[in-house]
Amino acid sequence: MSTMQYEDEQVTMDEKSVEHREPLLPSPVLASDSTTVKSPYKNYLFVFINGAATVAVVFLNKIVFADTQLRNLQITTAAYHFLTTFVVLLIASKPISSDLYSPLFTARRLPLPVVAPICTLFTLFLILNNLSLTLNPTSFFQLAKILTVPSVILFNYLFFHKSVSRYKLGVVAVACVGVGLASGAGVRSNPLGTIVAILAFTSTALYQIWIGRMLDRKVEGVEIGAPVLLMNQTGVSMCVLVCLVPFLDTMPNFATVPWSSIVAMILAGFAAALINLSQFLIIGSTSVLTFNIIGITKTVLILIMGWYVEGKVLGLLDVVGVTMAISGSFMYAQAKN
């Protein structure tokens, strides 16, 4: 998702690495220099693509992993999502036409020791989020992901001695209390699902922190750039996962798998690729605040849709908890800006 690359998507890289960096992605230029990615209409398009793809990939993966046979294809599914992301980025690095559209970025190969650590975190991030979505209701999965924000604050303080203001800590506490209220007021999980959810948002936090540190580096005197980094890590991670498939996955009898599940699996891969690419375009052409607000909005939409699909009847604590969680995350995004 996979899911999760996608999403959510709330960008919680440390402030210095985000605010003092050049835009992550060069603006594609059309035949006329007056039309670039910074056009507000294109920004709206990228936001729409990112939001729609995120909502789609969550529910598509739910359909996929609802099948008992496909549920045993966690590694294969992750490798497929890496493949689709790599292919989309490869296409984006090539000019569609020399007269119409220049490539979005220039692809280049990074040394393996440079990308190995982030490939490890990226692989854990994707597999654990997919597994969390499989084992938990959609509502619990989304609420748990909000804890990525305080996790980033904690890890930055423990490992890099970076602190935040009391105001930021306060609004993060509001978000965490809101998650606790909503989780304890009717959003049910199970011991294994809860453990996996904790590991999922922990790996997400570490992955996002490492992205920020990697993008501050230069390799052979050249800045890495987000698309180049993603393209390299998806390529390496895909190769690693393919080697693990024979040992960790159980191949299904596809003749007995419903066509709806197979179609959902195919579509989820392309949705995951769109999430990654649109994420870079949004950050590069707008701001981190914009992307955080988009992430919060997506969380609200997915929660509402998840509760509707699951037929959940909301209680007062559900409403109060979700309101606090979303409000705290929104205020934190404003404070970061």
Side-chain angles (χ1 to χ4, degrees), residues 161-184:
H161 307 292
K162 296 178 180 179
S163 58
V164 298
S165 66
R166 292 182 179 179
Y167 174 78
K168 291 180 181 178
L169 289 176
V171 296
V172 167
V174 171
C176 292
V177 171
V179 172
L181 287 175
S183 299

mmCIF file with all atom_site columns, all heavy atoms in Angstrom, residues 161-184:
data_model
loop_
_atom_site.group_PDB
_atom_site.id
_atom_site.type_symbol
_atom_site.label_atom_id
_atom_site.label_alt_id
_atom_site.label_comp_id
_atom_site.label_asym_id
_atom_site.label_entity_id
_atom_site.label_seq_id
_atom_site.pdbx_PDB_ins_code
_atom_site.Cartn_x
_atom_site.Cartn_y
_atom_site.Cartn_z
_atom_site.occupancy
_atom_site.B_iso_or_equiv
_atom_site.pdbx_formal_charge
_atom_site.auth_seq_id
_atom_site.auth_comp_id
_atom_site.auth_asym_id
_atom_site.auth_atom_id
_atom_site.pdbx_PDB_model_num
ATOM 1   N N   . HIS A 1 161 ? 18.869  14.862 19.880 1.00 0.00 ? 161 HIS A N   1
ATOM 2   C CA  . HIS A 1 161 ? 18.829  15.943 20.859 1.00 0.00 ? 161 HIS A CA  1
ATOM 3   C C   . HIS A 1 161 ? 18.123  17.185 20.313 1.00 0.00 ? 161 HIS A C   1
ATOM 4   O O   . HIS A 1 161 ? 18.550  18.317 20.556 1.00 0.00 ? 161 HIS A O   1
ATOM 5   C CB  . HIS A 1 161 ? 20.243  16.291 21.316 1.00 0.00 ? 161 HIS A CB  1
ATOM 6   C CG  . HIS A 1 161 ? 21.028  15.114 21.808 1.00 0.00 ? 161 HIS A CG  1
ATOM 7   N ND1 . HIS A 1 161 ? 20.727  14.431 22.967 1.00 0.00 ? 161 HIS A ND1 1
ATOM 8   C CD2 . HIS A 1 161 ? 22.100  14.465 21.259 1.00 0.00 ? 161 HIS A CD2 1
ATOM 9   C CE1 . HIS A 1 161 ? 21.575  13.432 23.130 1.00 0.00 ? 161 HIS A CE1 1
ATOM 10  N NE2 . HIS A 1 161 ? 22.415  13.424 22.109 1.00 0.00 ? 161 HIS A NE2 1
ATOM 11  N N   . LYS A 1 162 ? 17.047  16.976 19.588 1.00 0.00 ? 162 LYS A N   1
ATOM 12  C CA  . LYS A 1 162 ? 16.248  18.068 19.051 1.00 0.00 ? 162 LYS A CA  1
ATOM 13  C C   . LYS A 1 162 ? 14.935  18.136 19.812 1.00 0.00 ? 162 LYS A C   1
ATOM 14  O O   . LYS A 1 162 ? 14.207  17.147 19.878 1.00 0.00 ? 162 LYS A O   1
ATOM 15  C CB  . LYS A 1 162 ? 15.986  17.862 17.558 1.00 0.00 ? 162 LYS A CB  1
ATOM 16  C CG  . LYS A 1 162 ? 17.248  17.903 16.715 1.00 0.00 ? 162 LYS A CG  1
ATOM 17  C CD  . LYS A 1 162 ? 16.937  17.651 15.251 1.00 0.00 ? 162 LYS A CD  1
ATOM 18  C CE  . LYS A 1 162 ? 18.209  17.693 14.427 1.00 0.00 ? 162 LYS A CE  1
ATOM 19  N NZ  . LYS A 1 162 ? 17.954  17.424 12.993 1.00 0.00 ? 162 LYS A NZ  1
ATOM 20  N N   . SER A 1 163 ? 14.652  19.291 20.387 1.00 0.00 ? 163 SER A N   1
ATOM 21  C CA  . SER A 1 163 ? 13.447  19.449 21.184 1.00 0.00 ? 163 SER A CA  1
ATOM 22  C C   . SER A 1 163 ? 12.458  20.361 20.459 1.00 0.00 ? 163 SER A C   1
ATOM 23  O O   . SER A 1 163 ? 12.790  21.020 19.472 1.00 0.00 ? 163 SER A O   1
ATOM 24  C CB  . SER A 1 163 ? 13.782  20.041 22.563 1.00 0.00 ? 163 SER A CB  1
ATOM 25  O OG  . SER A 1 163 ? 14.439  21.293 22.419 1.00 0.00 ? 163 SER A OG  1
ATOM 26  N N   . VAL A 1 164 ? 11.236  20.399 20.984 1.00 0.00 ? 164 VAL A N   1
ATOM 27  C CA  . VAL A 1 164 ? 10.187  21.263 20.432 1.00 0.00 ? 164 VAL A CA  1
ATOM 28  C C   . VAL A 1 164 ? 9.617   22.108 21.559 1.00 0.00 ? 164 VAL A C   1
ATOM 29  O O   . VAL A 1 164 ? 9.865   21.853 22.738 1.00 0.00 ? 164 VAL A O   1
ATOM 30  C CB  . VAL A 1 164 ? 9.066   20.435 19.766 1.00 0.00 ? 164 VAL A CB  1
ATOM 31  C CG1 . VAL A 1 164 ? 9.604   19.634 18.605 1.00 0.00 ? 164 VAL A CG1 1
ATOM 32  C CG2 . VAL A 1 164 ? 8.401   19.502 20.786 1.00 0.00 ? 164 VAL A CG2 1
ATOM 33  N N   . SER A 1 165 ? 8.837   23.112 21.191 1.00 0.00 ? 165 SER A N   1
ATOM 34  C CA  . SER A 1 165 ? 8.281   24.026 22.181 1.00 0.00 ? 165 SER A CA  1
ATOM 35  C C   . SER A 1 165 ? 7.195   23.339 23.006 1.00 0.00 ? 165 SER A C   1
ATOM 36  O O   . SER A 1 165 ? 6.655   22.299 22.629 1.00 0.00 ? 165 SER A O   1
ATOM 37  C CB  . SER A 1 165 ? 7.687   25.254 21.480 1.00 0.00 ? 165 SER A CB  1
ATOM 38  O OG  . SER A 1 165 ? 6.561   24.867 20.703 1.00 0.00 ? 165 SER A OG  1
ATOM 39  N N   . ARG A 1 166 ? 6.880   23.963 24.140 1.00 0.00 ? 166 ARG A N   1
ATOM 40  C CA  . ARG A 1 166 ? 5.827   23.427 25.007 1.00 0.00 ? 166 ARG A CA  1
ATOM 41  C C   . ARG A 1 166 ? 4.476   23.449 24.307 1.00 0.00 ? 166 ARG A C   1
ATOM 42  O O   . ARG A 1 166 ? 3.647   22.563 24.524 1.00 0.00 ? 166 ARG A O   1
ATOM 43  C CB  . ARG A 1 166 ? 5.759   24.226 26.304 1.00 0.00 ? 166 ARG A CB  1
ATOM 44  C CG  . ARG A 1 166 ? 6.984   24.046 27.210 1.00 0.00 ? 166 ARG A CG  1
ATOM 45  C CD  . ARG A 1 166 ? 6.820   24.829 28.498 1.00 0.00 ? 166 ARG A CD  1
ATOM 46  N NE  . ARG A 1 166 ? 7.984   24.647 29.370 1.00 0.00 ? 166 ARG A NE  1
ATOM 47  C CZ  . ARG A 1 166 ? 8.116   25.225 30.552 1.00 0.00 ? 166 ARG A CZ  1
ATOM 48  N NH1 . ARG A 1 166 ? 7.142   26.044 30.996 1.00 0.00 ? 166 ARG A NH1 1
ATOM 49  N NH2 . ARG A 1 166 ? 9.194   25.005 31.288 1.00 0.00 ? 166 ARG A NH2 1
ATOM 50  N N   . TYR A 1 167 ? 4.276   24.463 23.469 1.00 0.00 ? 167 TYR A N   1
ATOM 51  C CA  . TYR A 1 167 ? 3.003   24.541 22.743 1.00 0.00 ? 167 TYR A CA  1
ATOM 52  C C   . TYR A 1 167 ? 2.846   23.319 21.841 1.00 0.00 ? 167 TYR A C   1
ATOM 53  O O   . TYR A 1 167 ? 1.775   22.698 21.792 1.00 0.00 ? 167 TYR A O   1
ATOM 54  C CB  . TYR A 1 167 ? 2.945   25.819 21.918 1.00 0.00 ? 167 TYR A CB  1
ATOM 55  C CG  . TYR A 1 167 ? 1.711   25.898 21.031 1.00 0.00 ? 167 TYR A CG  1
ATOM 56  C CD1 . TYR A 1 167 ? 0.469   26.234 21.561 1.00 0.00 ? 167 TYR A CD1 1
ATOM 57  C CD2 . TYR A 1 167 ? 1.799   25.608 19.669 1.00 0.00 ? 167 TYR A CD2 1
ATOM 58  C CE1 . TYR A 1 167 ? -0.656  26.294 20.758 1.00 0.00 ? 167 TYR A CE1 1
ATOM 59  C CE2 . TYR A 1 167 ? 0.675   25.660 18.861 1.00 0.00 ? 167 TYR A CE2 1
ATOM 60  C CZ  . TYR A 1 167 ? -0.543  26.006 19.406 1.00 0.00 ? 167 TYR A CZ  1
ATOM 61  O OH  . TYR A 1 167 ? -1.654  26.048 18.608 1.00 0.00 ? 167 TYR A OH  1
ATOM 62  N N   . LYS A 1 168 ? 3.897   22.975 21.125 1.00 0.00 ? 168 LYS A N   1
ATOM 63  C CA  . LYS A 1 168 ? 3.829   21.819 20.235 1.00 0.00 ? 168 LYS A CA  1
ATOM 64  C C   . LYS A 1 168 ? 3.595   20.534 21.022 1.00 0.00 ? 168 LYS A C   1
ATOM 65  O O   . LYS A 1 168 ? 2.805   19.671 20.621 1.00 0.00 ? 168 LYS A O   1
ATOM 66  C CB  . LYS A 1 168 ? 5.102   21.702 19.410 1.00 0.00 ? 168 LYS A CB  1
ATOM 67  C CG  . LYS A 1 168 ? 5.262   22.802 18.379 1.00 0.00 ? 168 LYS A CG  1
ATOM 68  C CD  . LYS A 1 168 ? 6.556   22.625 17.596 1.00 0.00 ? 168 LYS A CD  1
ATOM 69  C CE  . LYS A 1 168 ? 6.729   23.746 16.586 1.00 0.00 ? 168 LYS A CE  1
ATOM 70  N NZ  . LYS A 1 168 ? 7.996   23.626 15.834 1.00 0.00 ? 168 LYS A NZ  1
ATOM 71  N N   . LEU A 1 169 ? 4.283   20.412 22.147 1.00 0.00 ? 169 LEU A N   1
ATOM 72  C CA  . LEU A 1 169 ? 4.067   19.229 22.987 1.00 0.00 ? 169 LEU A CA  1
ATOM 73  C C   . LEU A 1 169 ? 2.622   19.174 23.471 1.00 0.00 ? 169 LEU A C   1
ATOM 74  O O   . LEU A 1 169 ? 2.021   18.098 23.554 1.00 0.00 ? 169 LEU A O   1
ATOM 75  C CB  . LEU A 1 169 ? 5.021   19.247 24.181 1.00 0.00 ? 169 LEU A CB  1
ATOM 76  C CG  . LEU A 1 169 ? 6.498   18.991 23.878 1.00 0.00 ? 169 LEU A CG  1
ATOM 77  C CD1 . LEU A 1 169 ? 7.326   19.138 25.147 1.00 0.00 ? 169 LEU A CD1 1
ATOM 78  C CD2 . LEU A 1 169 ? 6.682   17.603 23.284 1.00 0.00 ? 169 LEU A CD2 1
ATOM 79  N N   . GLY A 1 170 ? 2.059   20.355 23.774 1.00 0.00 ? 170 GLY A N   1
ATOM 80  C CA  . GLY A 1 170 ? 0.676   20.394 24.249 1.00 0.00 ? 170 GLY A CA  1
ATOM 81  C C   . GLY A 1 170 ? -0.319  19.926 23.205 1.00 0.00 ? 170 GLY A C   1
ATOM 82  O O   . GLY A 1 170 ? -1.208  19.121 23.495 1.00 0.00 ? 170 GLY A O   1
ATOM 83  N N   . VAL A 1 171 ? -0.151  20.418 21.968 1.00 0.00 ? 171 VAL A N   1
ATOM 84  C CA  . VAL A 1 171 ? -1.115  20.030 20.941 1.00 0.00 ? 171 VAL A CA  1
ATOM 85  C C   . VAL A 1 171 ? -0.932  18.566 20.541 1.00 0.00 ? 171 VAL A C   1
ATOM 86  O O   . VAL A 1 171 ? -1.895  17.882 20.182 1.00 0.00 ? 171 VAL A O   1
ATOM 87  C CB  . VAL A 1 171 ? -1.011  20.953 19.701 1.00 0.00 ? 171 VAL A CB  1
ATOM 88  C CG1 . VAL A 1 171 ? -1.386  22.374 20.071 1.00 0.00 ? 171 VAL A CG1 1
ATOM 89  C CG2 . VAL A 1 171 ? 0.374   20.904 19.072 1.00 0.00 ? 171 VAL A CG2 1
ATOM 90  N N   . VAL A 1 172 ? 0.304   18.072 20.630 1.00 0.00 ? 172 VAL A N   1
ATOM 91  C CA  . VAL A 1 172 ? 0.534   16.641 20.367 1.00 0.00 ? 172 VAL A CA  1
ATOM 92  C C   . VAL A 1 172 ? -0.153  15.804 21.443 1.00 0.00 ? 172 VAL A C   1
ATOM 93  O O   . VAL A 1 172 ? -0.745  14.761 21.163 1.00 0.00 ? 172 VAL A O   1
ATOM 94  C CB  . VAL A 1 172 ? 2.036   16.332 20.309 1.00 0.00 ? 172 VAL A CB  1
ATOM 95  C CG1 . VAL A 1 172 ? 2.279   14.830 20.346 1.00 0.00 ? 172 VAL A CG1 1
ATOM 96  C CG2 . VAL A 1 172 ? 2.649   16.915 19.043 1.00 0.00 ? 172 VAL A CG2 1
ATOM 97  N N   . ALA A 1 173 ? -0.093  16.284 22.694 1.00 0.00 ? 173 ALA A N   1
ATOM 98  C CA  . ALA A 1 173 ? -0.766  15.575 23.784 1.00 0.00 ? 173 ALA A CA  1
ATOM 99  C C   . ALA A 1 173 ? -2.279  15.533 23.545 1.00 0.00 ? 173 ALA A C   1
ATOM 100 O O   . ALA A 1 173 ? -2.925  14.511 23.803 1.00 0.00 ? 173 ALA A O   1
ATOM 101 C CB  . ALA A 1 173 ? -0.464  16.255 25.119 1.00 0.00 ? 173 ALA A CB  1
ATOM 102 N N   . VAL A 1 174 ? -2.827  16.637 23.038 1.00 0.00 ? 174 VAL A N   1
ATOM 103 C CA  . VAL A 1 174 ? -4.259  16.665 22.721 1.00 0.00 ? 174 VAL A CA  1
ATOM 104 C C   . VAL A 1 174 ? -4.582  15.599 21.686 1.00 0.00 ? 174 VAL A C   1
ATOM 105 O O   . VAL A 1 174 ? -5.570  14.853 21.821 1.00 0.00 ? 174 VAL A O   1
ATOM 106 C CB  . VAL A 1 174 ? -4.670  18.063 22.200 1.00 0.00 ? 174 VAL A CB  1
ATOM 107 C CG1 . VAL A 1 174 ? -6.099  18.037 21.651 1.00 0.00 ? 174 VAL A CG1 1
ATOM 108 C CG2 . VAL A 1 174 ? -4.568  19.096 23.322 1.00 0.00 ? 174 VAL A CG2 1
ATOM 109 N N   . ALA A 1 175 ? -3.760  15.497 20.661 1.00 0.00 ? 175 ALA A N   1
ATOM 110 C CA  . ALA A 1 175 ? -3.992  14.499 19.616 1.00 0.00 ? 175 ALA A CA  1
ATOM 111 C C   . ALA A 1 175 ? -3.907  13.085 20.175 1.00 0.00 ? 175 ALA A C   1
ATOM 112 O O   . ALA A 1 175 ? -4.726  12.220 19.853 1.00 0.00 ? 175 ALA A O   1
ATOM 113 C CB  . ALA A 1 175 ? -2.979  14.680 18.484 1.00 0.00 ? 175 ALA A CB  1
ATOM 114 N N   . CYS A 1 176 ? -2.917  12.847 21.031 1.00 0.00 ? 176 CYS A N   1
ATOM 115 C CA  . CYS A 1 176 ? -2.743  11.503 21.604 1.00 0.00 ? 176 CYS A CA  1
ATOM 116 C C   . CYS A 1 176 ? -3.911  11.117 22.506 1.00 0.00 ? 176 CYS A C   1
ATOM 117 O O   . CYS A 1 176 ? -4.380  9.975  22.472 1.00 0.00 ? 176 CYS A O   1
ATOM 118 C CB  . CYS A 1 176 ? -1.425  11.427 22.376 1.00 0.00 ? 176 CYS A CB  1
ATOM 119 S SG  . CYS A 1 176 ? 0.042   11.538 21.334 1.00 0.00 ? 176 CYS A SG  1
ATOM 120 N N   . VAL A 1 177 ? -4.361  12.054 23.330 1.00 0.00 ? 177 VAL A N   1
ATOM 121 C CA  . VAL A 1 177 ? -5.513  11.784 24.196 1.00 0.00 ? 177 VAL A CA  1
ATOM 122 C C   . VAL A 1 177 ? -6.739  11.490 23.337 1.00 0.00 ? 177 VAL A C   1
ATOM 123 O O   . VAL A 1 177 ? -7.532  10.591 23.645 1.00 0.00 ? 177 VAL A O   1
ATOM 124 C CB  . VAL A 1 177 ? -5.779  12.977 25.141 1.00 0.00 ? 177 VAL A CB  1
ATOM 125 C CG1 . VAL A 1 177 ? -7.096  12.789 25.873 1.00 0.00 ? 177 VAL A CG1 1
ATOM 126 C CG2 . VAL A 1 177 ? -4.637  13.125 26.134 1.00 0.00 ? 177 VAL A CG2 1
ATOM 127 N N   . GLY A 1 178 ? -6.885  12.247 22.253 1.00 0.00 ? 178 GLY A N   1
ATOM 128 C CA  . GLY A 1 178 ? -8.010  11.999 21.360 1.00 0.00 ? 178 GLY A CA  1
ATOM 129 C C   . GLY A 1 178 ? -7.967  10.601 20.765 1.00 0.00 ? 178 GLY A C   1
ATOM 130 O O   . GLY A 1 178 ? -8.988  9.911  20.702 1.00 0.00 ? 178 GLY A O   1
ATOM 131 N N   . VAL A 1 179 ? -6.782  10.159 20.346 1.00 0.00 ? 179 VAL A N   1
ATOM 132 C CA  . VAL A 1 179 ? -6.626  8.795  19.828 1.00 0.00 ? 179 VAL A CA  1
ATOM 133 C C   . VAL A 1 179 ? -7.012  7.772  20.883 1.00 0.00 ? 179 VAL A C   1
ATOM 134 O O   . VAL A 1 179 ? -7.704  6.790  20.609 1.00 0.00 ? 179 VAL A O   1
ATOM 135 C CB  . VAL A 1 179 ? -5.185  8.555  19.349 1.00 0.00 ? 179 VAL A CB  1
ATOM 136 C CG1 . VAL A 1 179 ? -4.976  7.085  18.988 1.00 0.00 ? 179 VAL A CG1 1
ATOM 137 C CG2 . VAL A 1 179 ? -4.870  9.428  18.146 1.00 0.00 ? 179 VAL A CG2 1
ATOM 138 N N   . GLY A 1 180 ? -6.573  8.035  22.119 1.00 0.00 ? 180 GLY A N   1
ATOM 139 C CA  . GLY A 1 180 ? -6.887  7.100  23.200 1.00 0.00 ? 180 GLY A CA  1
ATOM 140 C C   . GLY A 1 180 ? -8.371  7.016  23.473 1.00 0.00 ? 180 GLY A C   1
ATOM 141 O O   . GLY A 1 180 ? -8.919  5.926  23.667 1.00 0.00 ? 180 GLY A O   1
ATOM 142 N N   . LEU A 1 181 ? -9.050  8.168  23.474 1.00 0.00 ? 181 LEU A N   1
ATOM 143 C CA  . LEU A 1 181 ? -10.490 8.173  23.708 1.00 0.00 ? 181 LEU A CA  1
ATOM 144 C C   . LEU A 1 181 ? -11.244 7.426  22.618 1.00 0.00 ? 181 LEU A C   1
ATOM 145 O O   . LEU A 1 181 ? -12.110 6.588  22.894 1.00 0.00 ? 181 LEU A O   1
ATOM 146 C CB  . LEU A 1 181 ? -11.008 9.609  23.785 1.00 0.00 ? 181 LEU A CB  1
ATOM 147 C CG  . LEU A 1 181 ? -10.680 10.405 25.046 1.00 0.00 ? 181 LEU A CG  1
ATOM 148 C CD1 . LEU A 1 181 ? -11.159 11.833 24.910 1.00 0.00 ? 181 LEU A CD1 1
ATOM 149 C CD2 . LEU A 1 181 ? -11.318 9.737  26.269 1.00 0.00 ? 181 LEU A CD2 1
ATOM 150 N N   . ALA A 1 182 ? -10.901 7.721  21.380 1.00 0.00 ? 182 ALA A N   1
ATOM 151 C CA  . ALA A 1 182 ? -11.601 7.073  20.272 1.00 0.00 ? 182 ALA A CA  1
ATOM 152 C C   . ALA A 1 182 ? -11.298 5.580  20.232 1.00 0.00 ? 182 ALA A C   1
ATOM 153 O O   . ALA A 1 182 ? -12.176 4.763  19.966 1.00 0.00 ? 182 ALA A O   1
ATOM 154 C CB  . ALA A 1 182 ? -11.207 7.729  18.953 1.00 0.00 ? 182 ALA A CB  1
ATOM 155 N N   . SER A 1 183 ? -10.051 5.217  20.514 1.00 0.00 ? 183 SER A N   1
ATOM 156 C CA  . SER A 1 183 ? -9.673  3.803  20.479 1.00 0.00 ? 183 SER A CA  1
ATOM 157 C C   . SER A 1 183 ? -10.354 3.019  21.591 1.00 0.00 ? 183 SER A C   1
ATOM 158 O O   . SER A 1 183 ? -10.733 1.857  21.402 1.00 0.00 ? 183 SER A O   1
ATOM 159 C CB  . SER A 1 183 ? -8.152  3.654  20.601 1.00 0.00 ? 183 SER A CB  1
ATOM 160 O OG  . SER A 1 183 ? -7.504  4.302  19.530 1.00 0.00 ? 183 SER A OG  1
ATOM 161 N N   . GLY A 1 184 ? -10.529 3.665  22.742 1.00 0.00 ? 184 GLY A N   1
ATOM 162 C CA  . GLY A 1 184 ? -11.108 2.952  23.873 1.00 0.00 ? 184 GLY A CA  1
ATOM 163 C C   . GLY A 1 184 ? -12.614 3.034  23.946 1.00 0.00 ? 184 GLY A C   1
ATOM 164 O O   . GLY A 1 184 ? -13.237 2.416  24.795 1.00 0.00 ? 184 GLY A O   1
#
